[in-house]
Amino acid sequence: MTSVLASAKALQKEACATTERPVLRERGQREVFCGLTGIIWLHRKIQDAFFLVVGSRTCAHLIQSAAGVMIFAEPRFATAILDERDLAGLADANDELDRVVGRLLERRPDIRMLFLVGSCPSEVIKLDLSRAAERLSVQHAPNVRVLNYSGSGIETTFTQGEDACLASLVPELPTRDGGAPQLLVAGALADIVEDQFRRIFAELGMTDVAFLPPRKSRELPAVGPGTKVLLAQPFLTDTTARLQERGCEILAAPFPYGVDGTMAWLAKAADLWGVPRARFDEVVAPAATRARKALDAHKFRLAGKRVFFFPDSQLEIPLARFLSEELGMFPVEVGTPYLNRQQMSFDLDKLPAETLVSEGQDVERQLDRCREAKPDLIVCGLGLANPLEAEGFTTKWSIELLFTPVQGFEQAGDLAELFTRPLLRRTRLEV
Amino acid sequence: MQLTVWTYEGPPHIGAMRIANSMDGLHYVLHAPQGDTYADLLFTMIERNNVRPPVTYTTFQARDLGGDTAELFKSSARAAYERFKPEAMIVGASCTAELIQDDPGGLAKALALDCPVIPLELPAYQKKENWGAAETFYQLVRAYTGAQAPAPGATRPQRAAGERARCNVLGPTSLGFRNRDDVTEILRLLADLKIEVNVVAPQGSRPSDLARLPEADFNIVLYPEVAQNAANWLKRTFGQPFTKTIPIGVGATRAFVKEVCELAGIDSTAFLSRERSRLPWYSRSIDSTYLTGKRVFIFGDATHAIAAAKVATSELGFKVVGLGTYSREFARDVREAAKEYGLEALVTDDYLEVEQAVRELHPELVLGTQMERHIAKRLGVPCAVISAPIHVQDFPARYAPQMGFEGANVLFDTWVHPLMMGLEEHLLQMFRDDFEFHDGAGPSHLGGHGGARDASAEAPVAVMAPVATSEAIVLQAPVAAKPEGWAADAEKELGKIPFFVRGKARRNTERYAAERGITTITIETLYDAKAHYSR
């Protein structure tokens, strides 16, 4: 039997002759979350928004299970669970939804924006949530704006849920007339990271900077032809398309991980604003120097180590770029649920030629490849991590990369530390 | 359509998954959309299993819906069989796959795989996790024993003289609350009683072991939520009686021993003549006097809730002020149990309803699930967890059964430790205004834990009002603003009454005053009312 790794490498070699990097496309069991999972961070990011999933008991169970194995803060999300009566048409699902939303808003008078989030069952029974959202928006105006998007597993993979949510916000953004260019940073960031970027842009003399999503639903940034968009997250395919429709220009840049990533990301905007290179260097130098120092503390542990990424959040390619370029690790395989070549081009081009990039998943075959490759570190989802540890591998669970502030200079060391910790832990334990 | 914040049970296919994960050599092929694989983490993260659950998902996406999802199911089932070579397979659909009506059972049959394939029909929009587990176990038992069913009217052959009685232990599953240690405890007990164990299922058995179930003389049902259906079938078909007593608590364990010995035809007197748990003495020792009449609220699955109420009342001397369950299938049993305590059972799977009940009843201890632990934490009430839904903390590294004599010891410790120690409580009553030793401070032996009592529970006016944080879901309109007519010193005196009875004292006093046309409530009125209502 030819080894799966060997055949994957053959594909790699074959395609290396051409200019475009080859990608192994697989279809099979996908061990990934659906887009509903994004609610876990989005409901904290937009502080006066509520997320109502219209779905099944499975949806409700998923969110509470995936949330760090059950968080118990008071949530700003809930599930309207469809039951037999809704499916059999005995109850008009729309009337039921209106009733549930009414009850919810009565209980939460502080809510200003409500997202109706579609799920697999609501999509399959073709419950029209966009019409429901329009109807409910009229009913509850002016206090609450009701929007909708789909976080269903049949349409979205994990972080695509955030993409769908932000895309649903774009038509709501006020229109901005020409004038001076304005910068819009798209993609949910930890508040602290957002504040750091805001300070850097201010020091660079860029004052008209807005973030999407905003912290309050009533503080939606205006957009228009003068708006230049810098992507803070690598999974915003639909959102960028909607923004382009509004006349915004998307800046092609790498993603802001590590020193080099952050530097290039900031520089892209600064160049456009005509910030002199010397001024740019002066502004970013202190933070960049700190960050390099922080990375050095991790480099000796990570350099030369081989890392294997299972597909999860679409962060895989930029993170592999960071680990390989800035910390000297070697990515054996970088799996991504969905590859947006255009947005990924900077990071993709910097991956070593020998690195196998795979899109989609057949989890059993990928596990075979992984076992054969014997990487030093595996980045994977929660379902796979403990079994791989039990087989003797060292793993980093990928969901933590989304729940931790990792972008920007000040977080570069923290990001590296997320990968160092499991390796260090192995050396410490004597049991 | 039901508005749900947290759910007590997952969908029924999670129950089926628990059965599959409990057994060896059984594989589950689940027709399910992308994303449903989240369920793997219940087993690998919460239960810390070191292998993935034996489940293959079809993980179809929108693009597959236009094509042939049935073919996708068939190729997944075939690939799963070839890769895992299971002894048997169960096949079924999750909620979304149920809607596309591909008939996994029929499709799997058409594949003619070289192993038994048991189709599951688990209606995802009607039923829930425990029902799914019970149905799956029942279908497996039926599939493996059905062929051996004796002719109607045939009698069970008698056990040969001198042959030891044999039993099956039914119900323990993966993700079951302390099932791991309960089984160990019960198997030890049975070994001490010299009763032979034929099969323990589903946990730890293989599908082929199920075919041996009829060889036992009787069945022990540890968790009716999972094993009741299968036990009923085995009784009907093979005349195997099964136990009704759940051995949680000293009294119930003794009753269980008697029941088991009767079924096994042995004498339990000698075994029961010795005290085997520390709970009775610990409960009788005088330092436990302070436990008398502690108000306790109990909520969980039916088995654990009913058992907890019994132990709380007759083995710890608590007063049960609320009893409820999310197990609708066993609602009748819980209602009957509640009547014994003069209560009406709370049967609901709405977390918000349970929260409201806890607020209204002002318990001094909550015995519940992880959900109630959260409610209790916010209200500043001590809490111990007695039931699933499961949490990573419900799989302790140490041995901590709930059942049997050791289980009773565990119950004593886990229910009593969160409480304030006796003398501490007295001092607190006497010196309520002490700046570092007040009723908001929580038990001194628990560090910071329990210190942050919910502001609304503390505030004299708003015992029933919504929590102060803007994020909380408002349960009901706040009670009418500060009632008129309380003199300042009377109001202050009211604040010296323990928080859990303060609301009641206020209501009683106001009613007393209203009935007598008293416009200003003084300290005198407060104590007049106290004397009036204490009669």
Side-chain angles (χ1 to χ4, degrees):
Chain A
M1 194 186 103
T2 13
S3 105
V4 275
L5 196 63
S7 45
K9 275 182 179 154
L11 171 126
Q12 192 76 11
K13 199 175 276 176
E14 193 179 304
C16 269
T18 68
T19 48
E20 195 167 68
R21 171 184 284 276
V23 171
L24 173 66
R25 287 198 174 76
E26 288 209 293
R27 288 189 69 174
Q29 180 176 321
R30 291 167 70 102
E31 188 80 13
V32 289
F33 286 135
C34 65
L36 296 181
T37 326
I39 292 172
I40 298 166
W41 62 88
L42 287 170
H43 89 283
R44 289 277 149 200
K45 180 71 202 177
I46 314 174
Q47 290 163 18
D48 54 357
F50 195 99
F51 293 78
L52 181 66
V53 177
V54 182
S56 65
R57 185 166 299 281
T58 313
C59 307
H61 196 238
L62 153 85
I63 300 177
Q64 82 182 39
S65 308
V69 196
M70 269 203 221
I71 43 167
F72 269 117
E74 274 303 317
R76 280 187 296 266
F77 59 78
T79 309
I81 296 185
L82 295 160
D83 60 34
E84 230 188 357
R85 292 172 60 248
D86 301 305
L87 299 179
L90 297 174
D92 186 322
N94 283 304
D95 290 347
E96 282 289 290
L97 186 59
D98 291 3
R99 179 183 62 80
V100 166
V101 167
R103 185 173 167 222
L104 175 73
L105 293 177
E106 207 173 285
R107 288 176 165 190
R108 297 297 304 256
D110 51 323
I111 294 305
R112 292 287 163 267
M113 182 170 275
L114 173 68
F115 289 97
L116 302 178
V117 188
S119 66
C120 297
S122 80
E123 299 291 335
V124 169
I125 66 168
K126 302 202 178 345
L127 185 57
D128 190 343
L129 291 184
S130 68
R131 282 184 59 190
E134 271 173 38
R135 180 180 69 239
L136 287 160
S137 260
V138 173
Q139 264 179 40
H140 297 281
N143 293 334
V144 186
R145 181 79 179 107
V146 185
L147 301 178
N148 79 289
Y149 72 89
S150 172
S152 79
I154 56 176
E155 287 174 313
T156 60
T157 306
F158 198 17
T159 49
Q160 282 178 312
E162 177 178 329
D163 184 25
C165 173
L166 299 192
S168 79
L169 271 177
V170 174
E172 299 296 305
L173 305 181
T175 302
R176 189 172 175 278
D177 305 320
Q182 165 225 25
L183 183 68
L184 180 72
V185 178
L189 290 168
D191 292 347
I192 187 168
V193 178
E194 206 176 288
D195 294 340
Q196 288 166 5
F197 284 146
R198 236 180 243 286
R199 282 199 297 271
I200 293 178
F201 288 127
E203 277 187 67
L204 292 170
M206 302 162 62
T207 45
D208 197 353
V209 180
F211 288 79
L212 184 73
R215 294 181 201 184
K216 296 268 183 199
S217 68
R218 294 291 159 99
E219 293 162 10
L220 292 175
V223 295
T227 306
K228 316 289 177 193
V229 180
L230 204 46
L231 298 174
Q233 297 286 6
F235 44 72
L236 299 177
T237 302
D238 288 355
T239 307
T240 49
R242 294 294 94 74
L243 286 167
Q244 279 167 327
E245 285 164 20
R246 297 285 306 267
C248 304
E249 186 196 336
I250 312 294
L251 303 182
F255 291 94
Y257 300 108
V259 182
D260 298 348
T262 306
M263 187 87 86
W265 187 77
L266 291 169
K268 190 75 198 183
D271 285 350
L272 202 71
W273 258 254
V275 178
R277 195 70 211 187
R279 175 64 189 152
F280 179 81
D281 290 344
E282 189 188 340
V283 168
V284 300
T289 311
R290 269 200 301 276
R292 280 198 206 287
K293 212 171 146 193
L295 287 187
D296 282 342
H298 296 281
K299 215 177 221 164
F300 78 99
R301 287 192 200 282
L302 296 175
K305 294 272 196 302
R306 298 161 71 250
V307 59
F308 192 109
F309 281 87
F310 278 80
D312 190 61
S313 60
Q314 295 188 51
L315 263 61
E316 297 82 9
I317 289 172
L319 287 176
R321 194 282 308 158
F322 164 68
L323 292 178
S324 130
E325 195 183 28
E326 302 193 33
L327 292 159
M329 289 185 91
F330 178 72
V332 185
E333 173 167 342
V334 183
T336 179
Y338 172 72
L339 176 63
N340 182 333
R341 272 185 187 272
Q342 207 186 349
Q343 290 187 6
M344 241 17 126
S345 64
F346 282 89
D347 293 281
L348 198 56
D349 289 348
K350 294 210 164 143
L351 291 184
E354 302 77 27
T355 296
L356 173 66
V357 174
S358 61
E359 182 184 14
Q361 191 176 32
D362 180 329
V363 70
E364 303 294 352
R365 287 164 54 97
Q366 195 167 28
L367 281 165
D368 289 344
R369 285 200 300 278
C370 180
R371 290 183 184 115
E372 201 178 323
K374 294 191 181 63
D376 299 297
L377 184 66
I378 301 171
V379 185
C380 62
L382 295 173
L384 298 176
N386 265 338
L388 285 167
E389 288 279 344
E391 288 180 32
F393 291 102
T394 306
T395 64
K396 163 82 234 106
W397 21 306
S398 45
I399 198 166
E400 207 177 350
L401 297 161
L402 281 154
F403 287 1
T404 314
V406 292
Q407 299 85 354
F409 293 126
E410 312 300 353
Q411 282 67 237
D414 302 342
L415 178 57
E417 203 269 343
L418 286 177
F419 297 97
T420 313
R421 197 185 309 167
L423 292 163
L424 188 62
R425 186 164 177 76
R426 281 228 161 222
T427 65
R428 285 198 185 174
L429 297 182
E430 292 176 16
V431 287
Chain B
M1 213 177 271
Q2 188 200 352
L3 181 63
T4 306
V5 185
W6 301 110
T7 138
Y8 286 95
E9 289 183 76
H13 72 263
I14 298 289
M17 213 174 276
R18 283 171 51 193
I19 302 296
N21 196 57
S22 300
M23 300 181 71
D24 296 319
L26 180 65
H27 199 88
Y28 187 14
V29 180
L30 181 64
H31 204 14
Q34 166 177 267
D36 281 9
T37 52
Y38 80 87
D40 284 1
L41 76 86
L42 303 171
F43 302 93
T44 65
M45 293 299 287
I46 297 181
E47 201 171 30
R48 291 190 172 93
N49 289 173
N50 58 8
V51 289
R52 291 162 62 211
V55 183
T56 295
Y57 308 74
T58 54
T59 59
F60 56 83
Q61 294 175 268
R63 62 182 177 197
D64 301 308
L65 290 176
D68 195 349
T69 48
E71 190 50 46
L72 176 64
F73 177 82
K74 280 159 79 177
S75 60
S76 302
R78 201 181 294 114
Y81 175 74
E82 278 159 17
R83 180 174 280 266
F84 299 104
K85 292 277 187 296
E87 199 175 291
M89 274 181 13
I90 46 179
V91 297
S94 80
C95 52
T96 306
E98 186 182 325
L99 297 172
I100 59 176
Q101 301 183 326
D102 274 339
D103 182 22
L107 294 170
K109 198 175 169 195
L111 288 175
L113 299 173
D114 200 14
C115 76
V117 176
I118 294 107
L120 299 174
E121 297 280 346
L122 308 175
Y125 299 91
Q126 292 173 33
K127 303 292 187 183
K128 287 178 283 183
E129 179 179 335
N130 280 337
W131 185 91
E135 171 69 9
T136 305
F137 185 50
Y138 163 68
Q139 292 296 346
L140 280 165
V141 168
R142 229 188 123 136
Y144 272 86
T145 61
Q148 309 167 43
T155 48
R156 254 188 101 70
Q158 286 292 309
R159 197 166 60 242
E163 200 183 328
R164 279 164 66 174
R166 268 194 293 184
C167 69
N168 300 312
V169 177
L170 305 181
T173 59
S174 181
L175 293 185
F177 187 76
R178 303 288 169 85
N179 287 194
R180 178 196 72 189
D181 297 345
D182 283 350
V183 169
T184 309
E185 186 66 14
I186 293 306
L187 292 184
R188 275 183 199 165
L189 187 64
L190 293 170
D192 287 349
L193 292 168
K194 305 210 167 18
I195 294 169
E196 209 168 293
V197 174
N198 181 47
V199 174
V200 180
Q203 187 77 282
S205 61
R206 304 184 66 82
S208 52
D209 292 331
L210 300 179
R212 297 192 291 110
L213 286 172
E215 292 169 20
D217 297 299
F218 63 96
N219 290 313
I220 289 174
V221 174
L222 288 188
Y223 308 100
E225 277 85 351
V226 173
Q228 187 80 55
N229 294 354
N232 282 336
W233 151 263
L234 290 167
K235 186 176 179 198
R236 271 202 313 277
T237 314
F238 298 99
Q240 285 176 318
F242 61 87
T243 57
K244 313 283 193 304
T245 316
I246 306 300
I248 296 180
V250 177
T253 301
R254 294 175 67 87
F256 173 79
V257 168
K258 273 190 199 146
E259 189 182 13
V260 166
C261 287
E262 261 165 45
L263 289 171
I266 55 178
D267 185 10
S268 60
T269 327
F271 183 84
L272 291 176
S273 64
R274 185 162 78 79
E275 188 52 72
R276 289 167 187 272
S277 171
R278 292 191 188 94
L279 183 144
W281 170 241
Y282 273 43
S283 226
R284 283 177 192 281
S285 74
I286 54 156
D287 61 286
S288 292
T289 316
Y290 75 97
L291 302 175
T292 316
K294 283 266 185 212
R295 299 163 55 82
V296 54
F297 178 90
I298 298 170
F299 194 85
D301 68 11
T303 300
H304 289 90
I306 294 171
K310 182 78 185 154
V311 174
T313 311
S314 46
E315 301 186 14
L316 291 164
F318 293 154
K319 180 179 169 55
V320 178
V321 295
L323 175 61
T325 186
Y326 56 82
S327 310
R328 285 194 188 277
E329 293 85 359
F330 292 83
R332 206 173 65 183
D333 300 337
V334 180
R335 287 204 175 95
E336 273 171 27
K339 266 189 212 145
E340 286 178 37
Y341 310 102
L343 300 169
E344 195 174 327
L346 174 65
V347 179
T348 182
D349 56 0
D350 186 344
Y351 162 84
L352 297 172
E353 242 183 273
V354 181
E355 184 180 52
Q356 190 167 346
V358 178
R359 275 176 190 283
E360 284 170 5
L361 290 166
H362 303 293
E364 291 165 88
L365 175 68
V366 171
L367 301 176
T369 73
Q370 293 294 334
M371 316 285 183
E372 286 67 47
R373 190 174 69 118
H374 177 60
I375 294 169
K377 191 175 161 197
R378 287 206 290 122
L379 297 176
V381 182
C383 177
V385 175
I386 58 159
S387 160
I390 220 74
H391 185 274
V392 70
Q393 289 181 354
D394 298 328
F395 293 93
R398 69 181 186 282
Y399 181 59
Q402 301 286 290
M403 292 185 171
F405 294 115
E406 182 59 25
N409 296 339
V410 171
L411 296 185
F412 184 92
D413 288 349
T414 41
W415 298 5
V416 167
H417 286 180
L419 297 170
M420 193 87 67
M421 298 304 210
L423 283 177
E424 180 171 17
E425 195 178 69
H426 287 307
L427 287 172
L428 213 140
Q429 299 283 359
M430 289 172 70
F431 308 109
R432 189 159 292 279
D433 292 334
D434 186 303
F435 68 98
E436 39 183 21
F437 193 57
H438 50 89
D439 64 352
S444 62
H445 64 291
L446 294 182
H449 184 81
R453 180 162 288 155
D454 187 330
S456 70
E458 269 297 280
V461 191
V463 183
M464 303 284 294
V467 278
T469 60
S470 63
E471 285 187 358
I473 289 204
V474 178
L475 288 163
Q476 56 184 87
V479 282
K482 194 171 167 128
E484 297 303 319
W486 279 83
D489 54 351
E491 185 85 51
K492 202 176 164 206
E493 195 73 7
L494 183 69
K496 296 174 189 171
I497 295 169
F499 76 96
F500 48 88
V501 286
R502 208 175 290 150
K504 195 177 170 193
R506 171 180 292 279
R507 285 192 300 275
N508 283 349
T509 310
E510 286 172 0
R511 195 168 78 196
Y512 178 86
E515 282 167 8
R516 280 159 191 76
I518 297 168
T519 48
T520 303
I521 295 171
T522 61
I523 293 181
E524 288 298 306
T525 324
L526 181 65
Y527 284 113
D528 284 345
K530 181 173 188 263
H532 177 78
Y533 286 106
S534 68
R535 276 181 300 171

